[in-house]
Amino acid sequence: MEIKFNIKGVIYGVILILFIVLGFVFIPKLFLDTSKPVDFTMVQRESIPEKILDIMDKYEDEERALAVKLDDKIYVIVTRGEKEHGIDIDKITMDTVEEKTVMTVNITYKDKDKSYPFVVAETNLKSLPDKIQLNASKEEK
């Protein structure tokens, strides 16, 4: 009994299996949100480290988010700039984009009377991100 292999069929089968495996690996990354939430605790005014308060003089007039490593802790600071609003951090996430860590800080602008020109959060992170993005929305009344 002679067994014949159809080499074209074998090649097509291997290619098909390869496409299926690659599809399961790469397609979810294209369509799913792969960001990871960051646990954080808002730091009360009286508990903000002095070194962070010293930094604030330089950034308080800018609208931005920055991260600072101090005493093995990573803090996220968000400033509102000269806006007529206060700020509140809603969510912090980390993602990897082109092999760099990107932190996204989602904030809501609040009435100025209800908030301060900057907020500080202590995170559970162990290292600083490569890049920080700030996403802002306005409080609904």
Side-chain angles (χ1 to χ4, degrees):
M1 183 177 224
E2 193 175 312
I3 299 175
K4 291 185 179 180
F5 283 101
N6 180 347
I7 193 73
K8 282 186 179 180
V10 171
I11 291 172
Y12 288 142
V14 169
I15 291 172
L16 179 64
I17 290 170
L18 188 63
F19 276 123
I20 290 171
V21 169
L22 290 175
F24 278 112
V25 172
F26 292 108
I27 289 176
K29 289 182 180 180
L30 295 174
F31 297 106
L32 297 177
D33 182 11
T34 59
S35 60
K36 296 173 189 78
V38 174
D39 292 331
F40 66 93
T41 304
M42 298 305 297
V43 179
Q44 299 299 316
R45 288 277 165 213
E46 59 276 358
S47 300
I48 296 173
E50 193 66 37
K51 287 184 179 182
I52 290 178
L53 291 174
D54 292 343
I55 293 170
M56 294 317 306
D57 290 337
K58 183 177 180 181
Y59 295 104
E60 206 170 55
D61 293 335
E62 299 179 30
E63 180 184 40
R64 68 180 309 169
L66 47 122
V68 175
K69 186 170 187 173
L70 184 63
D71 299 328
D72 293 327
K73 295 179 184 176
I74 304 293
Y75 294 91
V76 174
I77 305 160
V78 180
T79 58
R80 71 168 186 228
E82 295 185 22
K83 305 264 187 216
E84 292 298 317
H85 302 93
I87 39 185
D88 192 22
I89 298 176
D90 300 319
K91 179 171 72 168
I92 302 173
T93 58
M94 292 293 284
D95 204 355
T96 302
V97 178
E98 297 177 358
E99 298 183 23
K100 297 203 183 265
T101 56
V102 178
M103 174 188 286
T104 301
V105 182
N106 294 299
I107 64 166
T108 302
Y109 288 119
K110 305 279 186 182
D111 287 336
K112 192 173 185 177
D113 295 338
K114 298 179 186 177
S115 176
Y116 294 94
F118 68 90
V119 290
V120 178
E122 182 181 323
T123 72
N124 65 338
L125 297 173
K126 300 297 179 206
S127 61
L128 292 168
D130 295 311
K131 181 180 177 183
I132 302 176
Q133 298 179 131
L134 180 63
N135 292 337
S137 62
K138 204 167 189 177
E139 177 180 41
E140 293 182 24
K141 295 184 179 194

